[in-house]
Amino acid sequence: MGNKEKAKERREKRMQEISILRTIPYSDDQRWWSKETVAVVTGGNRGIGFEICRQLAEHGLTVILTSRDASAGCEAAKVLQESGLSLVSHQLDVLDSSSICHFADWLQKNYAGLDILVNNAGVNFNLGFDNSVENAHRVIKTNYYGIKIMTETMIPLMKPSIKGARIVNVSSRLGRLNGRRNRIGDVALREQLDDEETLSEELVDRTLSTFLQQVEDGTWTSNGWPQTFTDYSVSKLAVNAYTRLVARKLLEQPEGNNTAEEGADTGVWLALLPDQAVSGKFFAERREIKF
């Protein structure tokens, strides 16, 4: 049996194992979520995004299915609703900053934020063995910069939780840095992107800028970029690198969503109140809230 056949056999075996695991229900201890847990899925009107919405709704979360085309999103949500699932749809174009801001305002107003963000929206114009970079700019802008802008906008809206909020970036094996196939040929660049000390958003952005410039001048084929699904592979390489960067950035953040100055404000305000009529009550942001 050759390597290709062995790899296929291993994959089929793993898929069988996953199929079995999916039949095992989550225990009460594992179910950290509830109906109040809000999950936002981008590009949820078809394909993997649609299926993510369906499965999350089946698990009882509040799912917000987003789609660039509002009517397509409504139709997708309707299909799931007719099967007995509860979810809502909302228009969202990850390439349009005004669309993202409008969605963020709506989300904050109606749900007070979110618990889970699934960045699924993406495009790929290469099918089969075709390999064109004609749409490289759009692929990079959607698959990488769309995720980047969406993540940066949603992080401040993520609800504090003991279990922690979640960000899931849907990627691809084609974006693996050290995969056997389709990896970038520039060894020095691979090492920089792989090294936690040298990995940065500036490096990722510079790598994409170099790729797109070489697409423009026609030199990309001789500069070590993947030779199949080229623009898609490069975009997912960037997504994978950005995911590591965001994880590192969030781990380095101090606990709490407020600055020390903001956190101290209510305590100082209470200490300096002219009377003691508020004894035994609970306050946040200079207003009384329930215990």
Side-chain angles (χ1 to χ4, degrees):
M1 184 182 294
N3 290 335
K4 187 175 292 185
E5 288 77 15
K6 288 180 180 178
K8 182 180 179 181
E9 186 179 83
R10 287 195 300 270
R11 178 167 173 75
E12 289 176 348
K13 182 179 179 181
R14 179 55 183 161
M15 295 307 293
Q16 290 173 358
E17 292 172 348
I18 292 173
S19 295
I20 294 171
L21 289 171
R22 286 180 59 188
T23 65
I24 302 173
Y26 287 91
S27 67
D28 290 341
D29 290 339
Q30 293 173 317
R31 293 177 64 91
W32 61 270
W33 62 89
S34 68
K35 182 63 178 174
E36 285 68 45
T37 303
V38 178
V40 172
V41 182
T42 67
N45 59 298
R46 60 189 178 90
I48 292 174
F50 179 82
E51 182 61 20
I52 289 173
C53 288
R54 186 186 69 78
Q55 292 192 29
L56 289 175
E58 283 186 340
H59 284 299
L61 290 79
T62 292
V63 177
I64 301 173
L65 180 159
T66 73
S67 172
R68 181 172 57 87
D69 185 322
S71 61
C74 288
E75 285 299 315
K78 184 178 179 181
V79 169
L80 296 175
Q81 290 163 353
E82 288 176 347
S83 67
L85 298 176
S86 176
L87 72 167
V88 297
S89 67
H90 196 282
Q91 193 277 335
L92 174 64
D93 184 349
V94 299
L95 297 183
D96 185 344
S97 58
S98 63
S99 175
I100 294 176
C101 289
H102 175 71
F103 175 74
D105 290 342
W106 173 86
L107 183 66
Q108 182 67 23
K109 179 180 178 181
N110 290 276
Y111 295 93
L114 72 163
D115 302 277
I116 300 171
L117 170 63
V118 181
N119 282 314
N120 168 75
V123 293
N124 175 27
F125 295 95
N126 287 311
L127 302 174
F129 292 101
D130 294 338
N131 188 53
S132 168
V133 293
E134 180 182 352
N135 297 289
H137 281 274
R138 183 176 174 187
V139 170
I140 297 296
K141 189 175 181 181
T142 303
N143 295 0
Y144 172 65
Y145 288 104
I147 280 182
K148 188 176 179 181
I149 297 169
M150 187 66 185
T151 299
E152 290 172 354
T153 305
M154 291 295 109
I155 283 177
L157 303 183
M158 303 198 88
K159 301 176 182 179
S161 165
I162 295 176
K163 294 295 184 179
R166 318 291 167 95
I167 301 174
V168 179
N169 293 331
V170 177
S171 190
S172 168
R173 287 185 176 89
L174 291 172
R176 292 179 63 194
L177 191 59
N178 294 302
R180 292 182 180 180
R181 298 183 304 156
N182 229 39
R183 65 184 179 185
I184 56 177
D186 187 331
V187 177
L189 178 58
R190 278 211 315 269
E191 290 176 348
Q192 284 184 301
L193 290 167
D194 197 32
D195 189 338
E196 293 295 333
E197 295 298 320
T198 55
L199 178 62
S200 66
E201 285 188 41
E202 291 75 18
L203 175 62
V204 176
D205 290 344
R206 188 166 65 248
T207 299
L208 294 178
S209 179
T210 299
F211 168 67
L212 291 173
Q213 181 58 52
Q214 291 175 4
V215 166
E216 289 292 324
D217 60 32
T219 61
W220 69 270
T221 55
S222 58
N223 279 288
W225 303 107
Q227 296 299 299
T228 58
F229 299 99
T230 303
D231 49 11
Y232 183 79
S233 298
V234 173
S235 73
K236 292 302 185 180
L237 169 68
V239 168
N240 293 346
Y242 179 68
T243 300
R244 290 162 55 206
L245 284 168
V246 172
R248 184 173 71 191
K249 185 186 297 184
L250 294 178
L251 283 174
E252 291 171 353
Q253 284 187 355
E255 294 185 9
N257 294 323
N258 297 331
T259 65
E261 182 180 6
E262 291 167 339
D265 176 78
T266 298
V268 173
W269 174 71
L270 285 168
L272 299 178
L273 281 177
D275 58 61
Q276 296 182 342
V278 296
S279 179
K281 297 180 181 180
F282 189 26
F283 287 79
E285 299 171 353
R286 297 198 181 199
R287 57 191 172 87
E288 182 181 355
I289 60 175
K290 294 180 179 179
F291 281 97

